[in-house]
Amino acid sequence: MVGTRGVPARYGGFETAIEEIGRRLVRDGHRVVVYCRHADTGTDADDGPRHLGMERVTLPALRRRSLETLSHTALSVAHLAAHRTDAAFVFNAANSPLLPVLRAARIPVATHVDGLEWKRAKWGPSGRRYYRRAEALAVRWSDALIADAPGIAAYYREEFGVGTRLLSYGAPVQTAPGHDRLGELGLQPGGFHVLVARFEPENHVEPLVRGFVASGATLPLVVVGSAPYADEYTRAVHAAAGDDPRVRLVGGVWDAALLDQLYANARTYLHGHSVGGTNPSLLRAIGAGTATIAFDVSFNRDVLGDDGRYVRTPADVAREVEAAEADPAGTADRGRALQERARQYDWDDVAQGYAVLAADLAARRVPGPQRARRRPHAAGVLDDRPVGAEPVTADD
């Protein structure tokens, strides 16, 4: 498994997926090798050569946003080419320029294409062009493609006329959540709202906070998250919170037990992610049985259906938070309905899907490289602007 920060999972969706899938593949008798990045301290001495049975190969990366992923993957691919495996999973289409190395080593490879990375506002025009090109290269040089959401599968079908393996994420269902850790943050069960996200424009943390501040909510909002290379946006989030005592910016929470209790005991979970396909944080929230207010995009509607509440503007956020507090019984009912939906997302099923794909790769029962020519679109159908590029005005 190549192309992420690796395991233990301490960062985002890819790392969570690798940990959950990899541990199950090991349990079922497979050998799993995960390529990991050195921690910010420059050492991985605290993690060791194995994690939950997975073998860890830890390599450095250049500490620049535009080069960190690709530089680490380049070293990983070089190492993998010299230490062949039966199949490889490369995560993130941004790594696709390195796929010819694996092809030359005759290692069959599936690329997890992730979301619409070129729509992320943190990338300038050159970055967006790179990611658009990388999508085409993933189609051209992968033996198979993995999509984690129906919307991503539809995008590759409509853009390139190619199929994907739809392998989503799992939702950990909490049937008996505790609340003994909440006192560490001065919280009570059901007595707060929670937002968990990296601080990036396409996750809409700033407008969600701004909408909450404009609301008449009486319960506090706990904001969990931060982001490397995002100082400017972090300042914008803090500015949106201002001196409102209801907004508690607690930074990253890496204690899984505490984070589980935050998800499970919140009145609502606010979810602003918009470009990344099926999001593990969203699944974690609904698995905890928490009513969810989500940014209105197809990826979130695919997961929440009619049991979610959807927003586009800060005014929408204010309205939905107030409504959730005004009707606690109805809000709790929506949370229970979402928890039932969460049972459709099972990590055992996901891991079995990866095991089948690995076997298909090794046996060459996969499409193989395909023509990578984008299909023409009617004018205006494909919006190349990054999410978050449009200004949000005070009137919103």
Side-chain angles (χ1 to χ4, degrees), residues 36-54:
C36 309
R37 292 183 205 172
H38 279 302
D40 290 336
T41 58
T43 177
D44 64 317
D46 57 324
D47 292 327
R50 288 183 177 269
H51 176 67
L52 299 175
M54 294 170 275

mmCIF file of all heavy atoms in Angstrom, residues 36-54:
data_model
loop_
_atom_site.group_PDB
_atom_site.id
_atom_site.type_symbol
_atom_site.label_atom_id
_atom_site.label_comp_id
_atom_site.label_asym_id
_atom_site.label_seq_id
_atom_site.Cartn_x
_atom_site.Cartn_y
_atom_site.Cartn_z
ATOM 1 N N CYS A 36 5.337 4.156 4.745
ATOM 2 C CA CYS A 36 5.018 5.193 5.722
ATOM 3 C C CYS A 36 6.018 6.341 5.622
ATOM 4 O O CYS A 36 7.167 6.148 5.214
ATOM 5 C CB CYS A 36 5.055 4.617 7.143
ATOM 6 S SG CYS A 36 4.083 3.103 7.376
ATOM 7 N N ARG A 37 5.574 7.508 6.021
ATOM 8 C CA ARG A 37 6.475 8.667 6.058
ATOM 9 C C ARG A 37 7.052 8.833 7.442
ATOM 10 O O ARG A 37 6.406 8.558 8.452
ATOM 11 C CB ARG A 37 5.716 9.952 5.697
ATOM 12 C CG ARG A 37 5.267 10.013 4.274
ATOM 13 C CD ARG A 37 4.583 11.338 3.978
ATOM 14 N NE ARG A 37 3.657 11.190 2.873
ATOM 15 C CZ ARG A 37 2.805 12.103 2.481
ATOM 16 N NH1 ARG A 37 2.749 13.275 3.107
ATOM 17 N NH2 ARG A 37 1.992 11.875 1.460
ATOM 18 N N HIS A 38 8.287 9.346 7.474
ATOM 19 C CA HIS A 38 8.851 9.744 8.754
ATOM 20 C C HIS A 38 7.957 10.791 9.394
ATOM 21 O O HIS A 38 7.405 11.664 8.718
ATOM 22 C CB HIS A 38 10.260 10.344 8.571
ATOM 23 C CG HIS A 38 11.335 9.317 8.432
ATOM 24 N ND1 HIS A 38 11.584 8.356 9.384
ATOM 25 C CD2 HIS A 38 12.242 9.097 7.434
ATOM 26 C CE1 HIS A 38 12.597 7.596 8.995
ATOM 27 N NE2 HIS A 38 13.005 8.015 7.813
ATOM 28 N N ALA A 39 7.823 10.712 10.712
ATOM 29 C CA ALA A 39 7.051 11.707 11.445
ATOM 30 C C ALA A 39 7.769 13.044 11.394
ATOM 31 O O ALA A 39 8.931 13.151 11.008
ATOM 32 C CB ALA A 39 6.859 11.259 12.894
ATOM 33 N N ASP A 40 7.063 14.106 11.815
ATOM 34 C CA ASP A 40 7.649 15.445 11.801
ATOM 35 C C ASP A 40 8.916 15.519 12.640
ATOM 36 O O ASP A 40 9.761 16.376 12.442
ATOM 37 C CB ASP A 40 6.630 16.469 12.306
ATOM 38 C CG ASP A 40 5.490 16.669 11.318
ATOM 39 O OD1 ASP A 40 5.696 16.402 10.125
ATOM 40 O OD2 ASP A 40 4.402 17.084 11.750
ATOM 41 N N THR A 41 9.034 14.616 13.613
ATOM 42 C CA THR A 41 10.217 14.611 14.462
ATOM 43 C C THR A 41 11.421 14.037 13.733
ATOM 44 O O THR A 41 12.537 14.109 14.230
ATOM 45 C CB THR A 41 9.958 13.755 15.717
ATOM 46 O OG1 THR A 41 9.617 12.428 15.295
ATOM 47 C CG2 THR A 41 8.832 14.323 16.543
ATOM 48 N N GLY A 42 11.176 13.447 12.547
ATOM 49 C CA GLY A 42 12.271 12.849 11.806
ATOM 50 C C GLY A 42 12.596 11.432 12.234
ATOM 51 O O GLY A 42 13.581 10.846 11.818
ATOM 52 N N THR A 43 11.748 10.838 13.085
ATOM 53 C CA THR A 43 11.992 9.476 13.548
ATOM 54 C C THR A 43 10.698 8.709 13.604
ATOM 55 O O THR A 43 9.632 9.271 13.827
ATOM 56 C CB THR A 43 12.644 9.480 14.948
ATOM 57 O OG1 THR A 43 12.790 8.119 15.369
ATOM 58 C CG2 THR A 43 11.776 10.198 15.971
ATOM 59 N N ASP A 44 10.785 7.429 13.390
ATOM 60 C CA ASP A 44 9.632 6.550 13.550
ATOM 61 C C ASP A 44 9.920 5.520 14.635
ATOM 62 O O ASP A 44 9.319 4.456 14.670
ATOM 63 C CB ASP A 44 9.295 5.851 12.232
ATOM 64 C CG ASP A 44 10.409 4.920 11.772
ATOM 65 O OD1 ASP A 44 11.574 5.331 11.874
ATOM 66 O OD2 ASP A 44 10.106 3.798 11.329
ATOM 67 N N ALA A 45 10.854 5.853 15.538
ATOM 68 C CA ALA A 45 11.294 4.884 16.538
ATOM 69 C C ALA A 45 10.150 4.436 17.440
ATOM 70 O O ALA A 45 10.176 3.337 17.994
ATOM 71 C CB ALA A 45 12.430 5.481 17.383
ATOM 72 N N ASP A 46 9.126 5.281 17.597
ATOM 73 C CA ASP A 46 8.030 4.937 18.490
ATOM 74 C C ASP A 46 7.048 3.964 17.840
ATOM 75 O O ASP A 46 6.207 3.401 18.514
ATOM 76 C CB ASP A 46 7.278 6.202 18.920
ATOM 77 C CG ASP A 46 6.754 6.982 17.736
ATOM 78 O OD1 ASP A 46 7.442 7.026 16.708
ATOM 79 O OD2 ASP A 46 5.654 7.551 17.851
ATOM 80 N N ASP A 47 7.152 3.737 16.536
ATOM 81 C CA ASP A 47 6.179 2.907 15.836
ATOM 82 C C ASP A 47 6.695 1.510 15.518
ATOM 83 O O ASP A 47 5.925 0.559 15.470
ATOM 84 C CB ASP A 47 5.740 3.592 14.542
ATOM 85 C CG ASP A 47 4.925 4.848 14.814
ATOM 86 O OD1 ASP A 47 4.205 4.866 15.821
ATOM 87 O OD2 ASP A 47 5.029 5.801 14.029
ATOM 88 N N GLY A 48 7.960 1.342 15.290
ATOM 89 C CA GLY A 48 8.516 0.029 15.051
ATOM 90 C C GLY A 48 8.285 -0.481 13.646
ATOM 91 O O GLY A 48 7.636 0.152 12.816
ATOM 92 N N PRO A 49 8.793 -1.679 13.340
ATOM 93 C CA PRO A 49 8.726 -2.217 11.975
ATOM 94 C C PRO A 49 7.375 -2.815 11.611
ATOM 95 O O PRO A 49 7.133 -3.118 10.440
ATOM 96 C CB PRO A 49 9.816 -3.292 11.980
ATOM 97 C CG PRO A 49 9.863 -3.754 13.411
ATOM 98 C CD PRO A 49 9.595 -2.528 14.241
ATOM 99 N N ARG A 50 6.500 -3.014 12.586
ATOM 100 C CA ARG A 50 5.181 -3.592 12.313
ATOM 101 C C ARG A 50 4.107 -2.831 13.068
ATOM 102 O O ARG A 50 4.353 -2.259 14.120
ATOM 103 C CB ARG A 50 5.126 -5.076 12.728
ATOM 104 C CG ARG A 50 5.924 -5.986 11.809
ATOM 105 C CD ARG A 50 5.769 -7.458 12.215
ATOM 106 N NE ARG A 50 6.479 -8.325 11.282
ATOM 107 C CZ ARG A 50 5.929 -8.856 10.205
ATOM 108 N NH1 ARG A 50 4.653 -8.613 9.929
ATOM 109 N NH2 ARG A 50 6.636 -9.627 9.400
ATOM 110 N N HIS A 51 2.902 -2.873 12.492
ATOM 111 C CA HIS A 51 1.745 -2.282 13.159
ATOM 112 C C HIS A 51 0.536 -3.141 12.841
ATOM 113 O O HIS A 51 0.182 -3.309 11.669
ATOM 114 C CB HIS A 51 1.515 -0.837 12.685
ATOM 115 C CG HIS A 51 0.282 -0.209 13.260
ATOM 116 N ND1 HIS A 51 0.152 0.087 14.601
ATOM 117 C CD2 HIS A 51 -0.898 0.174 12.676
ATOM 118 C CE1 HIS A 51 -1.035 0.636 14.821
ATOM 119 N NE2 HIS A 51 -1.680 0.680 13.673
ATOM 120 N N LEU A 52 -0.041 -3.732 13.869
ATOM 121 C CA LEU A 52 -1.210 -4.610 13.712
ATOM 122 C C LEU A 52 -0.952 -5.696 12.668
ATOM 123 O O LEU A 52 -1.840 -6.061 11.894
ATOM 124 C CB LEU A 52 -2.448 -3.786 13.334
ATOM 125 C CG LEU A 52 -2.880 -2.734 14.353
ATOM 126 C CD1 LEU A 52 -4.044 -1.902 13.809
ATOM 127 C CD2 LEU A 52 -3.272 -3.399 15.666
ATOM 128 N N GLY A 53 0.290 -6.189 12.647
ATOM 129 C CA GLY A 53 0.648 -7.260 11.739
ATOM 130 C C GLY A 53 1.133 -6.804 10.374
ATOM 131 O O GLY A 53 1.678 -7.609 9.603
ATOM 132 N N MET A 54 0.928 -5.533 10.040
ATOM 133 C CA MET A 54 1.393 -4.997 8.758
ATOM 134 C C MET A 54 2.873 -4.639 8.857
ATOM 135 O O MET A 54 3.319 -4.106 9.866
ATOM 136 C CB MET A 54 0.584 -3.745 8.392
ATOM 137 C CG MET A 54 -0.881 -3.999 8.115
ATOM 138 S SD MET A 54 -1.851 -2.456 7.965
ATOM 139 C CE MET A 54 -2.219 -2.128 9.703
#
